[in-house]
Amino acid sequence: MGGAVFEGMRAYDGRIFLGEAHLERLAQSAEWVGYGLPRAKLELTKAVEAVLWANALHDAYVRPVAWRGSESASVAARGASVHIAIAAWDWPTPAALGRSHAGIRLQLATWRRPRPDTAPTASKCSGLYMIGTLARHAALDAGFDDALMLDAHDHVAETTSTNVVLVKGETLISPVADCFLDGITERHVFALASRRGLAVEERRVRLEDLRRADEVFVAGTSVEIQPVVELMEGERRSRWPVGPITRALIADFQASVRERRAVGARALV
């Protein structure tokens, strides 16, 4: 009935990146939609490692999914068992394909992210992703890479599956995550930006703020960091360069992945 919860995780060199945060959010998402996971975080971590090992995967995308069982076909299914499956496959990032600086083009979606009092918007729940599916299909059909979604009050929310970040001067600006997912990858990017002495703001973002940004990029597990070079709003077009801050953060992100690999390797010695 759309109540499955899931996570998108990345493995680099056979090790899960930010895995603890992802599995904590998986458990929290399950609680928000009314059930608990039958396995502890350590068990799930070992299970993910086993899936990677069994499939001989080193750099991979990993998707744990939890859902209610078939004991009840009713909308109310409190007595149903909870199942967990873990899938992993080779899904290269833009950086792995040598396209980390290739900008994407967005179309403004007609679909909106729902208000937080109308759906469990903080959870990574499968039912909520149908809105993104419809919006992205429309964007792809129109020749764009993805769709930009607004909230119920005409503020910028996110794309169909990634967080949006504006660069203005030496400040990163991101919409408040009150009707969409609070991104784990975005939080990591904020930390990298702070190390560079960049400021980070989370606030309401209007389309006019987006149009006036110096640079725009998206952040998410699937793409890591990817520049945005164009937004089409009906007949209105906005364009941005792949600027120096975006380029620097892409490099920092890749270095942070290598750094974590090195730490893990030393720990095994």
Side-chain angles (χ1 to χ4, degrees):
M1 299 295 290
V5 296
F6 67 99
E7 274 298 319
M9 307 161 69
R10 281 279 178 191
Y12 298 94
D13 199 24
R15 297 179 179 85
I16 296 298
F17 185 63
L18 303 175
E20 183 172 346
H22 281 289
L23 292 177
E24 285 177 357
R25 190 172 65 184
L26 181 69
Q28 184 64 73
S29 292
E31 289 186 19
W32 277 324
V33 298
Y35 58 89
L37 298 183
R39 303 294 181 190
K41 184 169 59 179
L42 179 59
E43 291 179 282
L44 292 176
T45 299
K46 296 298 183 184
V48 169
E49 292 171 350
V51 168
L52 292 171
W53 176 84
N55 290 279
L57 291 169
H58 299 282
D59 287 3
Y61 183 86
V62 181
R63 178 163 289 177
V65 183
W67 71 96
R68 289 185 174 97
S70 60
E71 292 88 350
S72 173
S74 170
V75 170
R78 285 187 172 177
S81 57
V82 175
H83 304 272
I84 301 176
I86 298 170
W89 63 93
D90 181 16
W91 182 9
T93 64
L97 295 172
R99 299 203 298 261
S100 59
H101 295 163
I104 61 171
R105 300 169 60 243
L106 303 179
Q107 180 188 54
L108 186 65
T110 56
W111 293 93
R112 303 294 183 99
R113 282 298 177 204
R115 290 185 344 213
D117 61 348
T118 64
T121 56
S123 67
K124 198 170 176 70
C125 174
S126 63
L128 292 173
Y129 275 75
M130 180 50 65
I131 303 169
T133 298
L134 294 170
R136 185 176 289 191
H137 283 177
L140 292 173
D141 289 345
F144 295 87
D145 300 298
D146 203 349
L148 177 72
M149 306 188 74
L150 304 180
D151 66 13
H153 306 288
D154 290 333
H155 295 120
V156 174
E158 60 172 355
T159 71
T160 61
S161 62
T162 57
N163 294 112
V164 177
V165 182
L166 291 62
V167 179
K168 190 68 175 176
E170 295 192 349
T171 300
L172 269 58
I173 303 168
S174 184
V176 178
D178 61 352
C179 66
F180 57 92
L181 214 60
D182 191 357
I184 292 171
T185 299
E186 183 184 52
R187 291 287 171 194
H188 181 65
V189 173
F190 288 167
L192 296 175
S194 295
R195 291 183 198 172
R196 280 191 167 268
L198 301 171
V200 174
E201 291 183 13
E202 293 179 81
R203 60 173 172 83
R204 304 291 178 203
V205 174
R206 303 168 300 161
L207 277 170
E208 186 59 31
D209 299 324
L210 186 64
R211 297 176 194 129
R212 293 178 177 177
D214 299 325
E215 307 170 33
V216 180
F217 65 85
V218 295
T221 300
S222 58
V223 300
E224 299 173 334
I225 299 174
Q226 194 164 26
V228 176
V229 296
E230 183 179 310
L231 169 66
M232 182 63 75
E233 311 166 44
E235 298 300 317
R236 182 168 190 163
R237 187 191 311 270
S238 300
R239 289 192 174 101
W240 304 273
V242 182
I245 290 180
T246 300
R247 290 176 181 272
L249 290 173
I250 289 171
D252 289 350
F253 192 96
Q254 296 304 312
S256 73
V257 172
R258 290 192 296 272
E259 177 182 289
R260 286 167 185 262
R261 288 185 196 174
V263 169
R266 286 196 296 271
L268 294 175
V269 175

